Amino acid sequence: MSGGPRAVEVEPGESPVVLGFPHTGTWLPETVAARLNERGRTLADTDWHVDRLYAGLLPGATRVRALFHRYLIDANRDPAGVSLYPGQSTTGLCPTTDFDGRPIWRDGEAPGVEEIEERRLAWHRVYHDALQGEIERVHARHGVVVLYDCHSIRSRIDYLFEGVLPDFNVGTNEGRTCAPEMESAVRAVCEAAKDYTHVVNGRFKGGWTTRRYGEPARARHALQMELAQSTYLASEALPFDYDPAKAERLRVHLGAVLQRLEQAALG
């Protein structure tokens, strides 16, 4: 898995808030990309433009971004391959299908056990080593850290959920990954956001990242925000273009969320 870019991009900051971006990367090794089928090569399950959406919203926030695509290996899945949502449709550590349940690899080209382990060491572990390093650095500075994991997804995906997804989907694993005041701060901003819908711990309760790093008893708080892509994209289909007008309206509320979390962390 050598010959490509580094696995992760880190922008250290001095705020107690750390932003994680596990799914905005689009890079794949050429040898891996060639094994994807036509559907897989669209990379449709990318968290399109989410890093741009959050850019500059909280001066001083640390940013940790995976540069590789989730079809190489999913940085927000348990490396042991355990499902985050038992009994529900989802995708795995090295996905074999897209979010619509359709195969993404050419026949016989899906990665096997040894290759998955190679990818885990080369990409998944490197991303999480970097993320954990920044969490520990920020915690050492402030005595508290808030990991805010940034995600987005199409608002309609029958394979994963029924109906239309709310605009803001806040995940704290039923309150286990952060202090109650952190969850309440985010909920309050979402409730006050006119013309937007929200849910806390609905279909998306926080991925492996949130569940791994959220230890409120040790002043390590973690939340996931899963945004419906209809809130900031011109269309939830190729070419998944960014809509600046939609995005700017949304950024007002996302900025308020991050500011409230920073205030809650600093007391």
Side-chain angles (χ1 to χ4, degrees):
M1 293 299 168
S2 60
R6 63 193 189 280
V8 60
E9 177 181 81
V10 178
E11 299 176 23
E14 300 308 320
S15 168
V17 177
V18 174
L19 305 181
F21 299 92
H23 293 151
T24 62
T26 56
W27 182 84
L28 288 169
E30 291 182 7
T31 54
V32 172
R35 292 159 55 190
L36 290 169
N37 61 24
E38 183 177 358
R39 189 175 184 90
R41 288 195 297 273
T42 67
L43 306 182
D45 298 333
T46 306
D47 286 6
W48 297 103
H49 311 293
V50 165
D51 50 331
R52 176 181 177 183
L53 187 65
Y54 281 93
L57 288 183
L58 186 67
T62 293
R63 293 165 58 97
V64 181
R65 187 170 83 91
L67 300 178
F68 52 91
H69 194 264
R70 69 191 304 162
Y71 289 170
L72 180 64
I73 192 164
D74 193 325
N76 196 36
R77 294 293 185 271
D78 189 327
V82 177
S83 176
L84 295 171
Y85 298 100
Q88 298 185 59
S89 298
T90 186
T91 53
L93 181 62
C94 283
T96 56
T97 67
D98 63 12
F99 286 165
D100 294 307
R102 309 272 183 87
I104 58 174
W105 300 98
R106 295 179 181 273
D107 289 347
E109 294 289 356
V113 173
E114 290 185 5
E115 184 179 0
I116 291 172
E117 177 62 8
E118 181 183 354
R119 294 184 188 188
R120 185 189 70 80
L121 295 174
W123 306 101
H124 189 285
R125 187 175 73 173
V126 174
Y127 172 76
H128 282 283
D129 284 351
L131 183 59
Q132 183 158 11
E134 289 306 302
I135 288 170
E136 295 303 325
R137 179 187 65 82
V138 171
H139 186 271
R141 177 181 177 87
H142 294 284
V144 62
V145 61
V146 182
L147 172 62
Y148 179 95
D149 216 34
C150 307
H151 295 261
S152 75
I153 195 168
R154 286 176 285 141
S155 62
R156 289 180 179 268
I157 305 180
D158 293 341
Y159 181 68
L160 297 183
F161 51 82
E162 294 182 1
V164 180
L165 196 70
D167 298 322
F168 298 106
N169 298 266
V170 182
T172 66
N173 198 22
E174 304 293 356
R176 298 182 184 93
T177 65
C178 69
E181 59 266 27
M182 300 286 180
E183 181 180 301
S184 296
V186 177
R187 186 196 299 269
V189 174
C190 294
E191 287 177 346
K194 186 179 179 181
D195 299 326
Y196 292 92
T197 58
H198 75 281
V199 68
V200 178
N201 293 311
R203 172 61 178 86
F204 298 100
K205 302 179 189 299
W208 186 74
T209 302
T210 308
R211 302 181 199 199
R212 179 186 183 191
Y213 298 108
E215 299 179 275
R218 300 178 63 212
R220 290 166 167 82
H221 308 278
L223 307 91
Q224 176 174 306
M225 176 65 83
E226 188 88 51
L227 297 168
Q229 290 178 344
S230 57
T231 59
Y232 71 96
L233 293 184
S235 172
E236 294 186 318
L238 286 171
F240 299 102
D241 286 336
Y242 190 81
D243 185 318
K246 279 186 178 181
E248 284 308 308
R249 289 194 295 271
L250 180 63
R251 276 167 54 84
V252 171
H253 305 297
L254 296 178
V257 165
L258 298 183
Q259 291 162 18
R260 289 286 299 274
L261 287 173
E262 183 178 66
Q263 292 164 5
L266 294 174

